[in-house]
Amino acid sequence: MKALQFGRELNIKRIIKLMREEGPLSRVDISERTNIPQPTITRITEELLKENLLKEVGYGTSTGGRRPVLLALNHTCYYSVGVEIGRTKVKIALTDLNGNLLSFRKKVSEKSESISSIIEYIKDVLEAILEETGIERSCILGVGFGLPGPLNENAEGLISPPNFYNETSIPLKALLEDALQFEVIIDNDANVAALAEKWFGKGMGYDHFAYVIADVGIGSGLILNGELYRGRYGESGEIGHSTINLFGERCSCGNYGCLETYASLPKVEENFKRKLKLSPRNESVYLGGKLIEEVTFDDIINALENGSEAAKQTLEETGLYLGVGLSNMINVVAPDMVIIGGKLREGNDVLLHAVKAVIQSRVLGPSAKKIPVVLSEFREGVVLGAAALVINSAFGLFSRS
Ligand SMILES: [Zn+2]
């Protein structure tokens, strides 16, 4: 795809976008919807059929003459590999162009582990996956990576994510390309998870939306004008460190009263534990014999489902703070939709209801007040998004090259 001329490449990307969103379509339909002249469409679709990117899938309805041949995207002509390198785990996924997971592996990683042993693990797993599935290396578009943000990338491409296997100023892209012998693209976890929504999830068909990953940390990825907005140095989207309370608790970033000090996973668990300790004894029946100190977010959800008032209050308060953070963002960016992902999305309707109520009362514009706020469907949004990063680069209308 690299040797394509610019105009032709743009036309191909427009056709692929249309086919993904509205296919199968006839050549006439494609020409009408893209405003690309029919002879050009005929020529390009012939090439894409030869390349196996498109396939014929039957006949449409006749408008008088012969029934038109319908074309569809062949989502298994190329594949993508996504890798999530988190602080405590590494996940690797092979997907087709529609984001279907064909293979998935993960392992727990230790803080003390060296980055070279993690690269070695990724290399071994990748080789094993290719052998297992029988997919040719030439059919893999590349390998995308989602890392904890901010990447703190410098002009030479060296990155320094915080608390990242004791590494700073590491030429990770070069190291990975050297080890894997594939093109490698790296971005932060919130950005790649936003791309997973754009390509395979609830963001499909939307050109302006905000994705929030609410987990151990809180970050966001913005899709604006159909493109991932990265800010000047790739440091946009740090919603977790927006100030909620000027005089609040000290945050891991050094500031005070950041959103993360209220609505991140450890803080939500802490809040629940505090409520349990203060509550009448009957609340601990919802823990199923577990000690208060060992409670995790899953226990909060279990307790909620069994009728715990403390769990309900905890999720409502979390939704309140998350909603304030989101309202601030909506007032500035005015997206068409907000998608909540990360572990906190499992806080289901209670959390979502609280978030929506705050947005209703705090967002200014009458249409912005009604903005859809939805929960992501992806349990593995980051690794899937890492695969989407590669697909976006190859076929996205506004891809980063
Ligand atoms: Zn902070």
Side-chain angles (χ1 to χ4, degrees):
M1 300 291 289
K2 276 175 196 154
L4 297 175
Q5 289 159 353
F6 180 73
R8 185 172 161 272
E9 184 174 354
L10 188 65
N11 282 343
I12 289 176
K13 286 179 173 180
R14 286 176 63 200
I15 292 169
I16 288 171
K17 181 176 192 289
L18 178 74
M19 297 303 277
R20 278 178 46 82
E21 290 169 1
E22 296 179 40
L25 294 168
S26 70
R27 289 173 177 84
V28 175
D29 292 334
I30 301 173
S31 170
E32 278 172 3
R33 284 185 174 65
T34 56
N35 273 329
I36 301 171
Q38 249 200 70
T40 312
I41 291 294
T42 305
R43 201 176 59 241
I44 293 179
T45 52
E46 275 330 298
E47 288 171 22
L48 295 180
L49 280 164
K50 254 188 222 152
E51 246 188 84
N52 233 351
L53 252 171
L54 292 183
K55 59 183 177 185
E56 294 181 346
V57 289
Y59 295 92
T61 335
S62 164
T63 48
R66 273 190 303 160
R67 290 171 68 199
V69 174
L70 291 179
L71 301 174
L73 190 69
N74 178 10
H75 62 275
T76 55
C77 69
Y78 286 110
Y79 300 87
S80 177
V81 177
V83 181
E84 174 181 0
I85 309 183
R87 294 194 180 94
T88 56
K89 58 203 162 221
V90 180
K91 300 176 184 175
I92 302 168
L94 173 77
T95 76
D96 62 23
L97 295 181
N98 280 350
N100 296 310
L101 273 185
L102 305 177
S103 193
F104 179 71
R105 305 277 177 87
K106 65 175 173 179
K107 76 156 196 158
V108 172
S109 57
E110 300 293 335
K111 240 184 191 171
S112 56
E113 205 164 335
S114 71
I115 196 74
S116 57
S117 85
I118 286 175
I119 293 175
E120 202 57 35
Y121 168 74
I122 296 166
K123 188 182 169 196
D124 290 346
V125 168
L126 190 50
E127 293 300 334
I129 287 176
L130 291 182
E131 200 172 320
E132 239 172 63
T133 55
I135 292 171
E136 300 279 329
R137 284 181 77 90
S138 59
C139 295
I140 304 284
L141 289 170
V143 187
F145 285 80
L147 268 58
L151 299 185
N152 298 317
E153 188 172 349
N154 73 8
E156 285 86 48
L158 302 174
I159 58 166
S160 307
N163 308 316
F164 191 67
Y165 301 100
N166 308 305
E167 294 281 358
T168 50
S169 297
I170 176 173
L172 193 60
K173 180 177 155 71
L175 291 176
L176 287 165
E177 284 185 339
D178 191 42
L180 307 178
Q181 294 295 307
F182 279 112
E183 190 187 340
V184 162
I185 312 176
I186 301 175
D187 213 321
N188 74 51
D189 46 10
N191 280 351
V192 303
L195 282 179
E197 299 297 336
K198 178 185 175 237
W199 281 89
F200 319 127
K202 291 194 170 164
M204 274 179 86
Y206 282 82
D207 281 336
H208 312 276
F209 71 87
Y211 172 88
V212 179
I213 185 163
D215 212 287
V216 175
I218 302 175
S220 70
L222 286 174
I223 303 287
L224 300 178
N225 302 313
E227 189 176 2
L228 185 58
Y229 177 79
R230 290 184 170 89
R232 191 169 172 199
Y233 299 108
E235 289 165 349
S236 64
E238 290 297 335
I239 189 176
H241 300 285
S242 56
T243 307
I244 296 294
N245 178 358
L246 267 183
F247 309 103
E249 196 183 310
R250 186 106 191 239
C251 176
S252 60
C253 72
N255 279 322
Y256 293 87
C258 298
L259 178 59
E260 277 195 11
T261 65
Y262 289 93
S264 61
L265 201 54
K267 292 295 169 184
V268 177
E269 290 168 353
E270 215 174 272
N271 187 12
F272 182 59
K273 287 174 193 168
R274 192 166 46 239
K275 283 194 185 351
L276 288 178
K277 283 176 190 163
L278 295 173
S279 78
R281 210 176 270 170
N282 62 5
E283 276 287 332
S284 48
V285 301
Y286 300 112
L287 297 184
K290 213 168 187 181
L291 294 174
I292 290 183
E293 284 316 315
E294 291 170 359
V295 158
T296 64
F297 191 75
D298 288 333
D299 298 313
I300 304 178
I301 300 303
N302 271 336
L304 175 80
E305 283 162 4
N306 291 316
S308 159
E309 191 54 34
K312 185 164 174 269
Q313 277 175 15
T314 303
L315 290 168
E316 281 171 352
E317 284 169 25
T318 307
L320 171 70
Y321 288 117
L322 196 56
V324 169
L326 288 174
S327 298
N328 291 339
M329 183 169 70
I330 295 167
N331 276 332
V332 176
V333 181
D336 288 336
M337 176 172 55
V338 172
I339 304 173
I340 300 174
K343 185 75 182 166
L344 258 63
R345 73 181 235 296
E346 292 168 29
N348 61 50
D349 288 348
V350 177
L351 181 99
L352 190 59
H353 194 262
V355 169
K356 283 181 177 172
V358 182
I359 289 174
Q360 271 276 327
S361 70
R362 292 194 178 243
V363 166
L364 280 187
S367 58
K369 271 183 189 299
K370 293 185 202 134
I371 180 174
V373 182
V374 298
L375 300 175
S376 168
E377 283 168 2
F378 299 135
R379 198 174 269 270
E380 297 294 350
V382 177
V383 72
L384 200 54
L389 192 58
V390 172
I391 296 171
N392 191 59
S393 171
F395 301 117
L397 270 174
F398 306 95
S399 62
R400 178 167 73 160
S401 51

